């Protein structure tokens, strides 16, 4: 096992605990570091977050009333209120709750997995496009989407997105709980290979009096750290697929949906359909129906990639291996920390 002090004039070996904490931060595991957890707990005390929460609500209400009055669209008020609330909560989480290293690592990991996006699309998109295309070439879908005001459409997209996130927050903790179910010595050795605790792990495993696998259960802030990583990575991948659906329908609709058909299907008076700026082939109703179907596809893909075993392996295969490594390194870190106390 590594020594903490120098002997005989030799330079002291690096502190394995400090090196591991730095490794945790580099791999999006901020809440695995005790100091980061302490700051997060402090930020969740009512005296810290309640004043900011009240300020956010006041700003959101004022902005909602103002935009509803200026736009004459009542539904714009709850849409703006939700948007400001979500942005305020995200800003507080990134700063006071110290989630920035977690989110940044998960975003990098999600963007880095774009090379696997084509296989995912080949599995997830064909069936989805087949289903939603029937909705796209349906007069009722066009009438519904065209009748939505900007505020209502904005609110619908937000609700679909929040439902998708809520579903992930309910289901993804189950994925985390499965990771620490079958931890043994071989699991720990594989997990710590190439990490700052590689030598310490081997020493603890060979020590009959040590049982590092007993520290494998992940709970509290550390459990939610892993859940947040999964949520962000899943959001990146699903949003890319949903954006693909949006672009597909904009291009497809611009090619095949004649303006006379749009007037007939939407019930809008002739001469009243407008195009988007700089996009002469894309009308406002076409954009509305495409966005509505893309938001629905976002929710559908979120549910499918978690519940369907084929999609689940495609989306979660590599990240689950990262989670197993995090669980193993954490178990050895806690065992070593207790031994050195």
């Amino acid at each position: 096992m590594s020594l903490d002090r120098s002997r005989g004039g030799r330079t002291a070996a690096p502190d394995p605990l400090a090196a591991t904490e730095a490794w945790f931060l580099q791999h999006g595991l901020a809440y695995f570091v005790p100091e980061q957890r302490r700051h997060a707990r402090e930020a969740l005390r009512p005296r810290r977050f309640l004043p900011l929460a009240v300020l956010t609500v006041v700003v959101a209400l004022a902005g909602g009333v103002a935009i509803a009055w200026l736009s004459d669209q009542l539904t714009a008020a709850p849409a703006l209120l939700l948007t400001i609330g979500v942005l305020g909560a995200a800003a507080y989480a990134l700063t006071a709750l110290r989630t920035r290293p977690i989110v940044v690592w998960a975003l990098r990991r999600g963007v880095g997995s774009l090379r696997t996006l084509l296989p995912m699309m080949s599995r997830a998109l064909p069936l989805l496009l087949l289903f939603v295309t029937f909705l796209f070439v349906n007069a009722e879908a066009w009438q519904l989407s065209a009748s939505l005001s900007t505020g209502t459409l904005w609110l619908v997209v937000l609700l679909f997105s929040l439902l998708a996130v809520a579903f992930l927050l309910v289901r993804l903790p189950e994925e985390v709980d499965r990771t620490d179910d079958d931890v043994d010595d071989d699991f720990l050795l594989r997990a710590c290979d190439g990490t700052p605790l590689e030598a310490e792990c081997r020493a603890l495993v060979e020590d009959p009096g040590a049982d590092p696998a007993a520290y494998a259960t992940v709970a509290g802030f550390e459990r939610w750290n892993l859940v947040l990583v999964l949520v962000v990575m899943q959001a990146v991948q699903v949003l890319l697929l949903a954006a693909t659906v949006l672009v597909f329908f904009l291009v497809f609709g611009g090619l095949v949906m004649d303006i006379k058909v749009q007037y007939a299907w939407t019930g809008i008076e002739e001469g009243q359909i407008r195009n988007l700026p700089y996009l002469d082939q894309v009308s406002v109703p076409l954009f509305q129906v495409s966005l509505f179907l893309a938001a629905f596809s976002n929710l559908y893909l979120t549910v499918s990639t978690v519940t369907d075993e084929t999609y689940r392996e495609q989306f979660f295969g590599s990240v689950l291996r990262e989670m197993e490594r995090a669980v193993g390194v954490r178990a050895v870190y806690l065992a070593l920390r207790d031994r050195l106390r």
Side-chain angles (χ1 to χ4, degrees):
M1 190 173 296
S2 300
L3 298 176
D4 293 328
R5 298 178 180 273
S6 59
R7 293 184 179 178
R10 296 171 61 187
T11 303
D15 180 3
L17 296 181
T20 304
E21 290 174 1
W23 185 89
F24 283 150
L25 291 174
Q26 292 169 1
H27 289 79
L29 303 168
Y31 288 163
F32 283 39
V33 179
E35 182 183 2
Q36 300 293 320
R37 290 199 303 274
R38 180 175 60 80
H39 284 297
R41 288 193 183 94
E42 286 291 326
L44 287 176
R45 293 184 183 277
R47 61 181 176 82
R48 286 281 304 276
F49 77 84
L50 274 182
L52 290 174
V54 171
L55 178 62
T56 301
V57 171
V58 170
V59 171
L61 286 174
V65 171
I67 197 171
W69 181 69
L70 292 173
S71 65
D72 200 25
Q73 294 182 19
L74 206 57
T75 52
L80 183 64
L81 194 150
L82 272 177
T83 301
I84 294 177
V86 169
L87 291 177
Y92 191 75
L94 289 171
T95 54
L97 294 181
R98 306 296 181 99
T99 62
R100 185 173 178 275
I102 304 172
V103 174
V104 169
W105 185 88
L107 286 173
R108 287 176 179 170
R109 188 71 171 75
V111 173
S113 65
L114 291 183
R115 64 183 181 277
T116 64
L117 185 62
L118 187 58
M120 292 179 192
M121 291 172 64
S122 67
R123 288 178 180 271
L125 282 184
L127 206 61
L128 173 64
L129 288 177
L130 183 64
F131 172 66
V132 293
T133 299
F134 279 106
L135 295 177
F136 183 77
V137 292
N138 184 289
E140 285 77 9
W142 280 76
Q143 290 172 4
L144 171 65
S145 301
S147 67
L148 298 178
S149 64
T150 303
T152 303
L153 183 60
W154 179 10
L155 185 59
V156 168
V157 172
L158 279 175
L159 289 177
F160 275 138
S161 302
L162 291 175
L163 280 174
V165 173
F167 179 81
L168 291 177
L169 291 176
V170 170
R171 292 300 301 268
L172 290 181
E174 299 175 9
E175 300 292 336
V176 175
D177 293 338
R178 291 193 191 100
T179 306
D180 59 17
D181 286 343
D182 301 310
V183 176
D184 53 19
D185 291 345
D186 291 335
F187 181 105
L188 296 177
L189 290 171
R190 289 195 307 271
C192 293
D193 184 32
T195 70
L197 289 181
E198 183 175 359
E200 282 73 16
C201 177
R202 189 173 297 106
L204 286 171
V205 167
E206 293 172 355
D207 186 349
D211 185 18
Y215 295 83
T217 302
V218 182
F221 277 86
E222 294 153 296
R223 180 172 180 258
W224 284 106
N225 189 144
L226 297 178
V227 171
L228 181 57
V229 167
L230 287 178
V231 168
V232 173
M233 291 188 62
Q234 178 77 344
V236 170
Q237 295 174 340
V238 171
L239 284 174
L240 285 171
L241 292 175
T244 304
V245 173
L246 174 63
V247 172
F248 170 79
F249 282 124
L250 290 177
V251 174
F252 178 68
L255 291 174
V256 304
M257 297 303 298
D258 185 81
I259 192 67
K260 293 182 180 179
V261 176
Q262 294 187 35
Y263 280 121
W265 280 12
T266 59
I268 298 176
E269 295 182 7
E270 193 163 342
Q272 298 300 311
I273 288 182
R274 296 175 290 110
N275 293 332
L276 293 184
Y278 309 109
L279 295 173
D280 295 337
Q281 298 298 318
V282 180
S283 66
V284 171
L286 171 59
F287 176 77
Q288 288 180 300
V289 71
S290 300
L291 183 60
F292 179 84
L293 292 177
F296 171 78
S297 302
N298 180 50
L299 178 60
Y300 172 85
L301 287 167
T302 300
V303 174
S304 297
T305 52
V306 176
T307 57
D308 188 281
E309 192 61 33
T310 303
Y311 294 158
R312 182 176 163 276
E313 175 60 28
Q314 189 73 36
F315 275 80
F316 289 124
S318 60
V319 71
L320 288 179
R321 288 188 287 273
E322 294 278 357
M323 287 175 51
E324 290 175 355
R325 184 167 69 153
V327 169
V329 173
R330 171 187 171 275
V332 175
Y333 167 83
L334 293 177
L336 180 63
R337 191 180 66 174
D338 283 354
R339 169 163 289 200
L340 293 178
R341 280 178 176 174

